[in-house]
Amino acid sequence: MKALTWHGKHDVRVDTVDDPEIVNSRDAIIKVTSTAICGSDLHLYDGVIPMVQSGDILGHEFMGEVVETGANSTLKKGQRVVVPFTISCGGCFHCNIKQYSCCENSNPAEKQDASATLYGHPMAGLFGYSHLTGGYSGGQAEYVRVPYSDFGPIVVPDHLDDEKVLFLSDILPTGWMGAENAEINPDDTVAVWGCGPVGLFAIQSAIVMGASKVIAIDHYPHRLELAKKLGADTINFRETDVREALMEMSGGIGVDAVIDAVGMEAHGFAYDNMMDMVKQTVGIGADRASALKQAILAVRPGGRVSIPGVYGGMTDKWPLGAMMEKGLQLRGGQTHVQRYTKDLLDKIEDGTLDTTFLISHRLPLTQAADGYKNFHDNQNEWTKVVLKPGMEA
């Protein structure tokens, strides 16, 4: 089969690789009909996530048709399914309390030591996202093996096009959980750093949850325009002092909640951010956390800080004093996708949520490398790329 594989920093290729096979009775094989390039994939593309190996198949946002099942899979051949990027067993302690991205069983035992050393506990398994998270082949491919297929995938009705439901795999529930973690109240003013796909869905989610005002912060004009169309006020951080603007827009008290949808490769010309960029370049593994630091300083005392943006390593110059003295609540984590998929599918069906507005480009899988390059280099115009196996160039 054809699949998009990683071969080094800024070097991804569509190669011919072996077809996946059933290896466990709970497995299923999915013929991929749509898959997408995620902003998190760009961290792999930039070489800042450890333990990615040459030839690894990337991609964690995908859906398709069931073509083969193990004896204990509950799926049936021919069903259309969206597959959560978080691989969860459904039966461990964390899965039983709906913390699905903390699953204890999905990362194979022989691969758990590295993430346990980095983070104190092993990470759960994720599709297409390094051997820290199990080394599973991803979904930017013609076919993919789905472990625990009796628990994770959600069957979608035939009357909904792929593009309406594809983002249930990651960025829609990630944006929703990012807004949920901000504990939004009806009178709240909420600021969202980053108008990439997750940021845009966090903005949409915060508005649906009833926030009084949502403020979007970015520097790409088209992405800010998309945020404005959703109903957000906007700040271009290249043109405006963000903290001063947020104080003015919140009546001088500061915003009630902040959402960092940027993550470990933040832009900005602050001294510490420039130093973190240098450290990332030479391989020290420092996260560029300038957006998160700015958010912590901007939120009002007693406010909430939500972090759906991906961080993978260490950061310094951390405003710990501001967190303590201001009495802030901070919540983050990989998304517990399976907790949200059914409710979000209902909101897609009834028109409460629009999932297609941010798609800018549709490409055949064979042009995936071009998709990565443009999504990386031209983020103003390339807001979201959907890849279609079998689509003609």
Side-chain angles (χ1 to χ4, degrees):
M1 69 172 183
K2 298 293 185 183
L4 189 282
T5 58
W6 187 91
H7 293 276
K9 181 178 180 180
H10 299 163
D11 183 4
V12 294
R13 311 169 195 169
V14 176
D15 292 331
T16 299
V17 301
D18 293 338
D19 290 352
E21 298 179 346
I22 298 287
V23 298
N24 183 282
S25 64
R26 296 175 69 182
D27 288 351
I29 304 297
I30 306 298
K31 180 182 179 181
V32 178
T33 55
S34 295
T35 180
I37 304 174
C38 181
S40 300
D41 290 328
L42 297 184
H43 302 319
L44 301 170
Y45 188 68
D46 283 335
V48 297
I49 297 292
M51 294 185 66
V52 190
Q53 297 178 8
S54 182
D56 283 352
I57 299 173
L58 304 186
H60 58 269
E61 295 181 353
F62 62 93
M63 64 174 294
E65 178 186 344
V66 179
V67 294
E68 189 177 354
T69 59
N72 291 319
S73 175
T74 54
L75 298 178
K76 298 178 175 60
K77 293 181 182 179
Q79 287 181 318
R80 293 172 65 231
V81 294
V82 177
V83 181
F85 80 97
T86 48
I87 303 172
S88 310
C89 74
C92 68
F93 169 80
H94 285 98
C95 286
N96 282 330
I97 59 173
K98 299 185 179 181
Q99 294 180 345
Y100 300 117
S101 69
C102 302
C103 177
E104 300 158 46
N105 294 323
S106 57
N107 194 340
E110 67 272 14
K111 293 182 180 288
Q112 291 186 3
D113 288 350
S115 58
T117 300
L118 278 173
Y119 305 131
H121 292 80
M123 292 185 69
L126 306 176
F127 286 101
Y129 216 77
S130 91
H131 292 261
L132 273 177
T133 59
Y136 290 96
S137 293
Q140 289 167 2
E142 292 180 315
Y143 297 89
V144 63
R145 179 178 76 92
V146 177
Y148 304 113
S149 67
D150 56 324
F151 179 72
I154 180 170
V155 178
V156 293
D158 288 338
H159 67 268
L160 292 177
D161 293 339
D162 276 17
E163 291 179 1
K164 286 186 175 292
V165 293
L166 171 61
F167 302 137
L168 285 168
S169 60
D170 176 6
I171 55 173
L172 178 59
T174 295
W176 186 268
M177 181 169 142
E180 182 180 82
N181 280 347
E183 297 181 0
I184 293 168
N185 297 305
D187 294 332
D188 279 349
T189 296
V190 181
V192 181
W193 272 256
C195 294
V198 168
L200 289 167
F201 278 141
I203 290 163
Q204 186 180 41
S205 299
I207 291 170
V208 169
M209 290 179 185
S212 175
K213 179 185 291 186
V214 178
I215 304 166
I217 303 157
D218 206 301
H219 68 296
Y220 291 112
H222 179 58
R223 300 202 318 191
L224 287 168
E225 186 61 31
L226 289 174
K228 188 178 295 185
K229 288 180 179 178
L230 290 172
D233 296 331
T234 60
I235 296 173
N236 186 325
F237 70 78
R238 290 277 170 84
E239 300 173 354
T240 306
D241 184 293
V242 173
R243 200 168 358 151
E244 286 184 7
L246 289 176
M247 288 296 288
E248 182 176 341
M249 297 166 82
S250 61
I253 192 173
V255 293
D256 300 288
V258 292
I259 300 173
D260 171 15
V262 177
M264 65 191 295
E265 293 189 89
H267 294 269
F269 296 105
Y271 172 77
D272 61 332
N273 198 56
M274 298 301 288
M275 289 301 297
D276 286 342
M277 291 177 72
V278 173
K279 293 174 186 177
Q280 278 187 342
T281 301
V282 300
I284 294 176
D287 289 348
R288 284 153 37 195
S290 62
L292 179 55
K293 295 172 188 177
Q294 191 177 76
I296 288 171
L297 295 177
V299 70
R300 67 164 174 80
R304 289 92 63 194
V305 181
S306 172
I307 313 173
V310 171
Y311 290 91
M314 303 289 185
T315 188
D316 53 19
K317 305 295 185 291
W318 180 255
L320 185 59
M323 283 188 59
M324 186 273 173
E325 298 295 347
K326 292 168 71 172
L328 304 181
Q329 300 177 47
L330 186 150
R331 297 182 70 182
Q334 295 285 4
T335 309
H336 307 307
V337 178
Q338 294 89 336
R339 183 192 295 178
Y340 303 105
T341 47
K342 185 181 184 304
D343 287 344
L344 292 178
L345 178 59
D346 291 342
K347 286 180 170 57
I348 291 169
E349 286 212 85
D350 67 19
T352 301
L353 294 174
D354 174 27
T355 56
T356 61
F357 71 94
L358 47 66
I359 300 173
S360 59
H361 293 78
R362 299 160 180 86
L363 300 174
L365 178 65
T366 53
Q367 294 181 2
D370 291 336
Y372 266 81
K373 179 173 175 53
N374 281 288
F375 189 45
H376 182 272
D377 294 346
N378 303 303
Q379 293 186 27
N380 185 54
E381 298 82 10
W382 291 65
T383 52
K384 188 65 177 178
V385 182
V386 174
L387 303 171
K388 298 275 192 177
M391 175 182 175
E392 293 188 10

